[in-house]
Amino acid sequence: MTKRIPKLSAPEEVHQKIKSELLTDFCEVYIPMAPDVYTYGVPAGYRLTRGDVVWVQFATRKKPALAVVSKVHQDRPKFDVRPAYPHQSGYRFSERYMEMLEWTARYYISTPMKALFVFWPSDFEKYLDALAFTKGEASPSHEPQGSPATPSAGSHPATPPNAQALTLEQTNAFNTLCEELNKTGFRGVLLHGVTGSGKTRVYQELALEALKQNKKVLILVPEIGLTPQTRKRFEDFLQVPIVVLHSALSAPKKREGYVSILKGDAQVVLGTRSAILAPFDFDLVILDEEHDTSFKQQDPAPRYHTREMAFHLAYKYGALVVLGSATPCLETFYNAQAKNLKIVTLKERATQAPLPKVQIVDMGKMRQQKGILLSPTLREALTDCIEKGDQAIILMNRRGFSKMRVCTECGETLYCKHCHIPLVYHKQYRSLMCHYCAALYPVNTPCSACGAETYEFVGGAIEMLEDEIKEWIPNAKVIRMDRDTTQNVGASEKILDAFRNREYNILIGTQMVAKGHDFPGVQLVGVVGADSGLGIPDFRSTERLFQLLSQTAGRAGRAGGEGQVLIQTLKPSEPIMQFAVNHDYNGFANKEMEDRRAAFYPPFCKLVEISCGSRDEDLLRHTVERLEALLRANKNLMVLGPVDAFVPVVQNVHWAKLYIKTQDLAPVRKVLYPIINAPKPWVQNIEIKVEIE
């Protein structure tokens, strides 16, 4: 039975103000989400250092807060101060952690206080309680816990028994990576390997070599659903416990993992995006599927990118960064071409199986019944696949049953009352749903334009596809994986395990199913509505669609046999379709790079997106124009906009955007920092968000 960990409280004296002339030492502290850096007194008899976690009483808050010391000094303030007391755990963050916190805030035009709110997990206070509890049992010395622990001699794992032999390509890749591991300073490598080329096997060998040298390893994956498969592979191979960090873990598991990092015990950490924020001083970091958009933080600020943070830490403190992908993001590919990163290529699948044959199905020429999503070609291929005892994956990147509800009287599409977005019919909820605010509406909601209650559904989505497959394909055992079926903790893992164990023979899903999963039984992959990603006003939309098609296709035929991929599209002549058919990443990247260079988009510039939101549309327009004028005053900045956001209203808030293209972020920071981070809002009732692409 798990021991109950007592909750620790701040000393009562934390509330009392002290005359500053009675003290000799003072400290500046970062308090999560505080508007500024604040000065506190160091009580007599205590010694504090930068990085110490302390209790403070902040303003009129009812409860004392945890903070981290940014600076200790003897400059006596001219006002009375409250004391800062060290947390009972005695925990101190390393200088590396403190510098990363401050760099992240500076680079992403935020503050250390906002950054700390993102860096610290929500249960951080409980983790410190647990740390103090375990220290109380073991009675260790009061030493900083944030610095790397050195494993005892001989503690590294032995080579695992019966390890599969590496291919020649894998051996060459491993040898190159080992050379980089043994160097000092920053080292960055792009491991560009086709789907199924055995990149994970190379990671395993490299991690094992790192552990033999008493180095610490951080492994990052884009999706929570990938962590069970990845953890098992690495634990079986390395024969050491692996700490897992992600938001879907149970509270005891989260606490156990994080405390092992705080104590300095962890050797290998596996996690999703936020694991880069843990106080874990890695020597090797692996970003698998590095192209994935999940590595970018959206809200709250600072909106960091995991790859950029890994690069910064490696540059500053010396580490090897390995970026792995079959479809690297263009910024990474550009850096490899510019020799900023070393590139290692795996051109063949580890099983020697050929890449799957990709066929385009032109839905414009396909004669079939209205409302049917599967083409006869895909339907027949699915039937044959199931009859042979194989498995199939079908991707449709659209949630719900039908993508919109249209009035049969006036033809008006029914929109959410709070967001400017069509409502989607979800059969699972027997309701219409807004995909931006999650509001549910009765299916028979009267038309907002004419009041009629008669309607029809237009455009199929994944729930309709599920019903269609069950109706048309004999012996189909279908399981669906999308946001609606994976809401509960552990749901993704259950779905993937059930499919891997062949309880189901068809997995249908949104983009979740394309991300790095290894299913030996899959011989057929179908993509329905492949062109749905085109036409979005985003300079990366073409890149993301190519990655999605390529990654999904890569699930087929991995264990051998003739893998087959069918892509249904209304736009077969689009160049992206031809690149996907031929598995031609280089051709796609070079064409897209030419277009980016001509339009001056990343990687040829830094792109800053500024989003302004308000319930008051007139106030929003006035504020955006004022901000635009400030930015245009600097002639070195290329300012685009303002324009309405792609979805201009979300939860009754109107959104407009400005874009800045520049080679130098310094003038952007100079203008935006005081606007974004002022203690009081720049304009009342206006929210401003900044993203650096």
Side-chain angles (χ1 to χ4, degrees):
M1 180 183 259
T2 306
K3 291 183 180 178
R4 186 176 177 278
I5 295 169
K7 179 176 171 54
L8 298 172
S9 302
E12 279 299 317
E13 296 85 350
V14 80
H15 302 280
Q16 300 169 359
K17 283 193 173 182
I18 305 172
K19 291 190 178 297
S20 56
E21 55 264 29
L22 299 178
L23 300 172
T24 56
D25 290 344
F26 303 87
C27 61
E28 313 290 323
V29 302
Y30 298 145
I31 305 169
M33 292 305 290
D36 211 336
V37 181
Y38 291 94
T39 302
Y40 285 80
V42 179
Y46 287 87
R47 182 175 174 272
L48 291 179
T49 302
R50 173 171 159 87
D52 279 337
V53 180
V54 292
W55 289 109
V56 296
Q57 177 62 43
F58 177 56
T60 56
R61 288 185 187 174
K62 291 182 179 179
K63 293 171 59 180
L66 286 177
V68 63
V69 175
S70 66
K71 180 183 176 183
V72 177
H73 57 85
Q74 284 78 42
D75 299 332
R76 183 173 284 112
K78 296 179 180 178
F79 50 83
D80 295 346
V81 292
R82 285 194 173 99
Y85 281 92
H87 188 271
Q88 293 90 327
S89 65
Y91 189 76
R92 179 181 303 151
F93 286 105
S94 67
E95 177 55 30
R96 170 169 160 166
Y97 182 91
M98 296 299 294
E99 191 276 336
M100 179 174 70
L101 176 79
E102 291 163 344
W103 176 86
T104 304
R106 190 166 58 250
Y107 185 84
Y108 291 102
I109 317 179
S110 186
T111 68
M113 292 71 72
K114 291 177 183 176
L116 197 60
F117 181 75
V118 173
F119 271 56
W120 280 1
S122 57
D123 284 343
F124 184 59
E125 188 173 329
K126 293 180 180 178
Y127 302 160
L128 289 181
D129 291 348
L131 180 64
F133 182 68
T134 57
K135 286 182 74 171
E137 289 183 324
S139 300
S141 60
H142 183 78
E143 288 295 319
Q145 297 288 335
S147 53
T150 304
S152 59
S155 66
H156 60 72
T159 303
N162 303 320
Q164 180 185 343
L166 296 178
T167 66
L168 180 60
E169 269 196 334
Q170 287 174 319
T171 301
N172 291 337
F174 170 63
N175 289 337
T176 300
L177 289 167
C178 272
E179 289 175 13
E180 296 300 310
L181 183 68
N182 293 326
K183 294 177 183 176
T184 56
F186 168 77
R187 294 92 77 207
V189 178
L190 167 60
L191 182 59
H192 185 191
V194 298
T195 52
S197 58
K199 294 184 287 295
T200 301
R201 185 71 175 79
V202 177
Y203 301 151
Q204 289 172 328
E205 292 283 358
L206 183 63
L208 183 65
E209 182 61 31
L211 291 179
K212 287 177 180 177
Q213 298 179 27
N214 288 335
K215 295 180 186 290
K216 293 192 171 188
V217 182
L218 175 63
I219 305 159
L220 299 170
V221 293
E223 287 286 334
I224 289 171
L226 288 169
T227 54
Q229 164 189 301
T230 308
R231 179 183 189 174
K232 185 175 190 319
R233 286 181 172 182
F234 275 88
E235 276 194 336
D236 288 351
F237 190 88
L238 300 177
Q239 301 291 297
V240 297
I242 291 178
V243 173
V244 177
L245 293 181
H246 61 69
S247 58
L249 291 170
S250 65
K253 285 289 183 186
K254 280 184 195 173
R255 184 180 65 224
E256 180 186 354
Y258 210 91
V259 169
S260 73
I261 293 172
L262 295 176
K263 291 169 68 177
D265 293 343
Q267 293 174 283
V268 183
V269 173
L270 164 68
T272 49
R273 176 182 65 235
S274 60
I276 194 77
L277 309 179
F280 179 68
D281 293 351
F282 59 80
D283 305 285
L284 164 65
V285 56
I286 298 166
L287 273 80
D288 193 26
E289 309 294 344
E290 68 87 29
H291 63 275
D292 200 281
T293 55
S294 298
F295 283 123
K296 177 78 163 62
Q297 163 84 355
Q298 294 303 317
D299 282 313
R303 296 172 182 86
Y304 65 89
H305 198 297
T306 309
R307 184 176 59 244
E308 294 300 320
M309 296 186 69
F311 280 160
H312 171 74
L313 285 166
Y315 269 116
K316 186 82 178 176
Y317 299 100
L320 172 58
V321 180
V322 178
L323 308 175
S325 179
T327 55
C329 81
L330 287 183
E331 286 85 346
T332 299
F333 189 65
Y334 177 79
N335 273 320
Q337 287 186 321
K339 311 292 186 188
N340 296 325
L341 299 173
K342 181 168 280 192
I343 186 164
V344 177
T345 307
L346 298 174
K347 296 180 180 179
E348 297 179 358
R349 286 185 154 183
T351 57
Q352 305 305 309
L355 286 168
K357 180 183 177 183
V358 181
Q359 178 184 344
I360 296 290
V361 180
D362 185 351
M363 298 301 288
K365 294 182 179 178
M366 195 65 58
R367 293 181 180 178
Q368 64 184 82
Q369 184 181 337
K370 183 183 177 183
I372 298 297
L373 297 173
L374 288 177
S375 65
T377 309
L378 180 54
R379 193 161 60 237
E380 289 165 15
L382 256 179
T383 303
D384 290 346
C385 176
I386 301 310
E387 285 180 353
K388 289 176 183 174
D390 294 324
Q391 291 178 294
I393 293 176
I394 308 296
L395 171 84
M396 188 177 193
N397 205 21
R398 190 177 290 280
R399 288 169 61 205
F401 187 88
S402 187
K403 62 183 182 182
M404 61 180 68
R405 203 208 76 169
V406 175
C407 175
T408 53
E409 293 294 319
C410 69
E412 186 76 11
T413 298
L414 189 63
Y415 278 71
C416 175
K417 292 178 182 177
H418 313 292
C419 311
H420 190 75
I421 197 77
L423 293 171
V424 176
Y425 173 51
H426 280 250
K427 189 177 180 181
Q428 178 177 337
Y429 306 125
R430 297 178 182 150
S431 301
L432 301 166
M433 175 187 267
C434 173
H435 284 180
Y436 277 75
C437 70
L440 294 175
Y441 295 77
V443 177
N444 62 352
T445 299
C447 174
S448 56
C450 70
E453 295 185 3
T454 56
Y455 57 85
E456 65 176 349
F457 294 122
V458 176
I462 198 167
E463 290 180 0
M464 183 185 291
L465 178 66
E466 181 179 19
D467 284 357
E468 191 175 313
I469 291 173
K470 288 176 179 176
E471 181 181 347
W472 286 80
I473 310 296
N475 305 317
K477 290 181 284 185
V478 184
I479 191 166
R480 172 164 56 91
M481 186 174 180
D482 59 20
R483 193 181 301 176
D484 300 308
T485 62
T486 57
Q487 291 176 347
N488 297 329
V489 173
S492 296
E493 190 175 344
K494 287 179 182 176
I495 291 171
L496 294 170
D497 283 347
F499 186 65
R500 193 171 282 114
N501 295 334
R502 292 180 174 263
E503 295 171 35
Y504 300 89
N505 49 26
I506 300 176
L507 171 65
I508 67 170
T510 52
Q511 60 185 354
M512 291 180 179
V513 301
K515 299 188 176 185
H517 302 292
D518 188 11
F519 302 113
V522 172
Q523 292 298 330
L524 172 67
V525 165
V527 181
V528 177
D531 36 48
S532 62
L534 295 172
I536 296 173
D538 181 339
F539 75 97
R540 286 199 175 98
S541 62
T542 308
E543 178 184 10
R544 286 174 180 158
L545 180 55
F546 176 81
Q547 288 165 342
L548 182 62
L549 294 177
S550 299
Q551 292 288 335
T552 309
R555 303 311 110 202
R558 294 168 72 92
E562 290 271 337
Q564 184 183 11
V565 180
L566 295 174
I567 298 176
Q568 294 186 180
T569 178
L570 289 166
K571 300 178 179 178
S573 60
E574 281 281 343
I576 188 174
M577 298 299 171
Q578 299 309 312
F579 290 128
V581 164
N582 296 306
H583 303 283
D584 185 5
Y585 173 81
N586 284 4
F588 163 75
N590 291 330
K591 167 72 167 60
E592 185 71 9
M593 208 78 83
E594 288 175 16
D595 295 344
R596 298 265 187 101
R597 190 192 302 271
F600 193 50
Y601 272 111
F604 302 101
C605 74
K606 295 284 188 183
L607 181 69
V608 181
E609 179 184 284
I610 307 168
S611 303
C612 299
S614 177
R615 291 176 180 268
D616 185 330
E617 198 169 359
D618 292 333
L619 177 64
L620 175 64
R621 302 293 167 212
H622 174 73
T623 303
V624 171
E625 288 168 7
R626 189 177 150 202
L627 183 56
E628 179 194 5
L630 280 173
L631 292 166
R632 290 193 187 277
N634 189 313
K635 302 304 178 187
N636 294 322
L637 303 179
M638 183 187 295
V639 181
L640 307 177
V643 293
D644 286 342
F646 179 54
V647 179
V649 183
V650 177
Q651 291 182 281
N652 299 319
V653 176
H654 299 265
W655 288 95
K657 293 179 183 283
L658 285 161
Y659 296 90
I660 304 168
K661 293 179 179 179
T662 181
Q663 298 284 12
D664 181 12
L665 287 172
V668 180
R669 292 193 183 99
K670 187 175 181 181
V671 174
L672 292 181
Y673 187 90
I675 292 172
I676 305 299
N677 299 308
K680 293 182 180 179
W682 188 57
V683 177
Q684 287 288 346
N685 303 317
I686 291 281
E687 183 179 1
I688 303 176
K689 299 180 179 181
V690 176
E691 289 197 49
I692 297 173
E693 296 288 350

